[in-house]
Amino acid sequence: MERFCVRFARMEISPRLKSLLVPSTRVAVLTGAGVSQESGVPTFRDKDGLWQKFRPEELANMGAFLKNPKLVWEWYEHRRQIVRDVKPNAGHDALVTFENFFKEFTLVTQNVDGLHQRAGSRHVLEVHGTLLRSSCVDCREPAPSEYLENLKESDRAVCLDCGGLLRPDVVWFGEDLPGRIWDLSQTAAANCDLFFTIGTSAAVYPAAGLPLLAKETGAYVVEINPQQTEISRLIDEQLRGPSAVVLPALLKELRR
Ligand code: OAD
């Protein structure tokens, strides 16, 4: 496996990756919390990550929600507030340029913060849902977005149609990924020439299986992350560094 070190403006990439940075290459990308880290959104498993301070079993599954919906809503409202106060970073922006440059490009994200869309990415497959929507546990109706915007932490979030409990439209532990979005993600991974896994610990399946699927089906797989991950040794090339540095540096290598 090739391993390249990124030192800010100067980055060495392999000849193979260089040769793939042309418009006809079919590209798929999986992003995780690391991509938003430099915007100020905490990751989950790093030293200061959310799962170091909070317990997923109290906050991120249906049982916990039904037991204490107020606590769960407060936690998600806190995270929505963080996201409202931050901006996309240079890594998100670079992925917008990728979308416009490559003829076939699919962006799959595990992030629920909407920052790719705010940066200008037009087609984003949100495999873990989004913080920015909610729906009724009983009748499944989505709640109007203004309702969420005006919700205070102390309010009880209920469906305006049937009075059922509203839940955030994020995927909780033990739940399936949204079917059509997941199908499209797998199809993109299985049919690309170049796959980037960016800012994810690759610890949560099935999403973490996408780079491995891409590798099995013949794609060249590149990881962008300051740290080693569970799949680093299984893929083709590692670009060690923060995504807001590495991705803009890669833009300089795009060739028409
Ligand atoms: P993790 O917190 O597990 O991993 C974040 C990754 O980002 C780590 O590998 C870090 O090394 C890397 N990282 C940190 N700063 C970075 C930077 N500036 N640039 C690039 N990478 C950086 O987050 P995810 O892999 O996204 O699921 O976690 C996957 C899922 O676990 C989440 O979607 C969430 C969580 O439980 C649900 O809520 C369903």
Side-chain angles (χ1 to χ4, degrees):
M1 192 224 303
E2 313 215 37
R3 201 172 290 167
F4 293 86
C5 191
V6 179
R7 282 200 187 76
F8 295 89
R10 205 181 136 268
M11 179 176 67
E12 280 181 46
I13 64 172
S14 69
R16 177 76 192 278
L17 175 53
K18 239 178 207 173
S19 74
L20 287 166
L21 295 177
V22 292
S24 57
T25 300
R26 296 167 303 165
V27 176
V29 174
L30 172 69
T31 62
V35 170
S36 298
Q37 187 270 342
E38 285 153 286
S39 292
V41 181
T43 62
F44 292 92
R45 294 175 183 78
D46 288 317
K47 192 163 57 59
D48 301 320
L50 291 170
W51 293 153
Q52 309 298 333
K53 294 182 214 143
F54 301 100
R55 290 157 59 87
E57 53 278 30
E58 283 173 7
L59 297 166
N61 66 75
M62 184 56 110
F65 176 66
L66 293 175
K67 202 163 133 203
N68 196 344
K70 187 166 178 295
L71 174 76
V72 173
W73 265 107
E74 279 170 6
W75 193 64
Y76 281 95
E77 183 47 30
H78 167 68
R79 288 177 59 196
R80 261 195 297 278
Q81 191 57 52
I82 293 174
V83 166
R84 274 188 209 119
D85 292 345
V86 302
K87 293 197 176 72
N89 63 54
H92 296 106
D93 293 343
L95 290 171
V96 178
T97 306
F98 272 22
E99 184 173 20
N100 295 326
F101 178 81
F102 293 107
K103 224 166 44 197
E104 278 186 45
F105 179 82
T106 304
L107 176 54
V108 181
T109 190
Q110 298 165 91
N111 298 344
V112 295
D113 56 27
L115 285 177
H116 285 303
Q117 292 88 334
R118 275 169 60 192
S121 287
R122 282 167 286 137
H123 303 292
V124 185
L125 297 174
E126 295 178 307
V127 285
H128 288 170
T130 171
L131 276 179
L132 311 176
R133 272 196 322 259
S134 62
S135 58
C136 177
V137 168
D138 295 330
C139 73
R140 309 272 165 154
E141 272 303 303
S145 54
E146 321 79 73
Y147 180 80
L148 266 192
E149 279 154 27
N150 297 320
L151 193 71
K152 307 216 174 38
E153 282 192 17
S154 53
D155 287 348
R156 190 173 152 82
V158 289
C159 175
L160 299 176
D161 288 322
C162 77
L165 278 178
L166 283 185
R167 60 162 288 171
D169 268 346
V170 296
V171 175
W172 281 330
F173 289 101
E175 294 182 328
D176 290 335
L177 304 192
R180 191 177 149 272
I181 288 174
W182 180 237
D183 288 347
L184 291 170
S185 305
Q186 286 180 294
T187 302
N191 292 291
C192 67
D193 309 303
L194 174 60
F195 189 98
F196 288 100
T197 172
I198 311 175
T200 174
S201 59
V204 176
Y205 284 78
L210 290 176
L212 305 178
L213 172 63
K215 177 84 186 130
E216 274 163 31
T217 46
Y220 191 70
V221 180
V222 178
E223 176 172 74
I224 299 176
N225 198 311
Q227 310 288 337
Q228 289 272 334
T229 72
E230 306 204 7
I231 60 160
S232 296
R233 67 189 166 80
L234 304 173
I235 51 104
D236 297 299
E237 181 163 339
Q238 301 173 36
L239 298 175
R240 289 272 153 264
S243 48
V245 175
V246 176
L247 282 166
L250 272 186
L251 293 183
K252 296 191 185 122
E253 304 290 339
L254 299 179
R255 285 178 301 114
R256 290 261 165 217

